[in-house]
Amino acid sequence: MSIEPDHRKFLITSHSIDGTFESCPRRFEFRHLYQQYPLLETSGLAADVGTALHEAAQEWTRSYSIEKAEWTLLKWWPWELEDMRKQAGMKPDYARTLGNALNLLNAFVRHKFWDDWEVARLPDGSPAIELPWRINHTSLGSFTNPIDGSETFLATQGKIDWILQHRKIPNLFRVTDMKTTILDEPLQNANFRFSGQAGQYGLVLAQALGLDWQREGLDVCYFIAEFGEFGFPVTNPMEHHLEPMEIYEAIEAKNERLRRMISMGRQAFWPRRSHGCVFYQKPCGFLDVCHRREPEFLTQWFEDDRDRFRKENRIYEPFWIVEA
């Protein structure tokens, strides 16, 4: 069976990109409509350390080798970012150290949670690890891209860290995501209980696995990995059963944000937020050009200033696609 190529143009959002939009729509415009990335900016130590720990944990669930997992952590560790922080005179992060990350990784591996759960297998026999998905929100309409005049729709992409299967109850599954944090336990539930990702999981798994979330709800597990400042790792698989109304609310919250994006796109006006002018304790990389609105000027500005910006659009091939 041949699949017709999809010639529609999409502006890609995600859970983290949504955070950029809420913080400052103007920055969102520069980063994801113009697809420009300031070379002097980094995603921050918290994000890069979290990525390293995710990669290491996923390697362990593939190979069940702690040695391979530790080598993966070293491979992904943000060594250059640590050096940049020192050169900039920034205060050391005593929680997110390599030693603490190794302690957390070992606590993750040894947790009794794994006595009951293992990684599920996909129909082709491959492990259900880091599964990319995409939701095309074409039903919400489109806007004209001011850069090239194309009709542009919105889409959301994401990844499911693991789909797990119970060792003794084969028809019992859990969508599981790792959450790295420095928050104490009382704040963890408040921070993750109503995660905005729940609605997207419901839509994706309804198509991928036939999940009837409108009747049954959805079981999720957020595997909390808490960095302790004094090296005491805390790992806590936080399991929730989400009722259908909770999933529906998460879907509607996402749609409300997407409708605001569509509205701003149609007006060709993405307002700046004054608190968005500081990014990870540094001036925003777009501060010098934020006062200009003309697409022709901005396009030429970024083209001429390749010493400070690069074009970047992080889109990965989805395992599952949902039309919504």
Side-chain angles (χ1 to χ4, degrees):
M1 181 180 69
S2 63
I3 299 176
E4 292 297 322
D6 191 341
H7 297 295
R8 295 172 298 179
K9 184 166 185 175
F10 289 92
L11 189 160
I12 301 296
T13 72
S14 69
H15 188 61
S16 59
I17 291 173
D18 286 353
T20 300
F21 174 78
E22 295 293 2
S23 174
C24 183
R26 182 66 164 151
R27 180 179 174 82
F28 172 90
E29 178 189 17
F30 287 135
R31 282 288 287 110
H32 303 291
L33 194 61
Y34 285 89
Q35 300 176 9
Q36 298 297 320
Y37 187 87
L39 293 175
L40 295 180
E41 287 187 357
T42 67
S43 56
L45 187 65
D48 286 359
V49 168
T51 296
L53 195 57
H54 270 78
E55 293 290 337
Q58 288 169 353
E59 172 56 42
W60 180 77
T61 56
R62 287 189 185 92
S63 64
Y64 293 105
S65 166
I66 186 59
E67 290 81 10
K68 289 184 178 180
E70 289 177 339
W71 276 112
T72 300
L73 182 67
L74 294 174
K75 174 184 175 182
W76 282 85
W77 192 256
W79 304 99
E80 293 182 0
L81 185 55
E82 285 193 324
D83 292 339
M84 289 171 60
R85 288 173 62 88
K86 290 178 182 177
Q87 293 172 9
M90 298 178 67
K91 182 181 177 181
D93 189 327
Y94 293 109
R96 297 182 180 90
T97 65
L98 179 57
N100 286 355
L102 286 166
N103 287 339
L104 263 181
L105 177 61
N106 278 271
F108 170 86
V109 165
R110 294 190 173 92
H111 200 284
K112 63 181 181 180
F113 174 82
W114 299 109
D115 293 341
D116 296 325
W117 295 95
E118 63 182 353
V119 177
R121 293 283 166 174
L122 298 172
D124 64 359
S126 60
I129 301 174
E130 198 175 35
L131 300 170
W133 50 263
R134 178 166 162 175
I135 302 172
N136 294 331
H137 304 284
T138 50
S139 66
L140 297 178
S142 61
F143 62 91
T144 300
N145 189 316
I147 303 170
D148 59 15
S150 62
E151 182 183 22
T152 301
F153 298 91
L154 297 178
T156 299
Q157 69 177 10
K159 293 181 180 179
I160 294 175
D161 288 346
W162 297 276
I163 296 179
L164 302 181
Q165 184 175 18
H166 199 278
R167 294 180 184 273
K168 298 178 181 177
I169 312 174
N171 62 343
L172 187 60
F173 296 88
R174 286 285 185 279
V175 175
T176 303
D177 274 353
M178 173 179 275
K179 303 291 187 182
T180 57
T181 183
I182 59 172
L183 296 175
D184 293 331
E185 188 171 350
L187 290 176
Q188 292 169 9
N189 185 61
N191 198 49
F192 302 120
R193 173 65 180 85
F194 296 108
S195 170
Q197 294 165 292
Q200 296 155 41
Y201 292 159
L203 290 175
V204 171
L205 295 179
Q207 175 167 311
L209 303 179
L211 173 72
D212 188 1
W213 65 265
Q214 297 184 64
R215 294 181 58 188
E216 301 172 5
L218 172 66
D219 292 317
V220 298
C221 175
Y222 299 121
F223 207 113
I224 309 299
E226 179 189 341
F227 284 93
E229 186 168 338
F230 301 103
F232 302 113
V234 178
T235 52
N236 174 30
M238 186 181 294
E239 297 184 274
H240 295 293
H241 174 74
L242 304 180
E243 296 294 338
M245 183 54 69
E246 295 178 65
I247 300 172
Y248 175 77
E249 288 184 16
I251 292 172
E252 281 306 299
K254 172 70 175 182
N255 285 342
E256 184 272 335
R257 182 181 299 113
L258 292 170
R259 285 190 287 267
R260 280 188 283 135
M261 292 180 184
I262 291 287
S263 176
M264 292 179 190
R266 287 174 176 171
Q267 296 175 60
F269 184 79
W270 305 80
R272 75 176 63 87
R273 303 281 187 258
S274 58
H275 58 259
C277 297
V278 176
F279 184 76
Y280 285 108
Q281 301 177 350
K282 291 184 177 181
C284 173
F286 301 106
L287 194 63
D288 292 347
V289 74
C290 192
H291 63 290
R292 299 298 295 261
R293 293 276 178 181
E294 314 91 312
E296 298 82 3
F297 176 88
L298 292 171
T299 300
Q300 192 62 48
W301 169 283
F302 291 125
E303 187 63 34
D304 292 343
D305 202 356
R306 283 297 166 218
D307 290 338
R308 291 199 301 155
F309 299 95
R310 72 168 181 263
K311 192 164 186 176
E312 180 181 272
N313 192 20
R314 296 179 182 177
I315 300 177
Y316 33 78
E317 190 67 26
F319 190 83
W320 293 308
I321 300 177
V322 177
E323 297 290 337

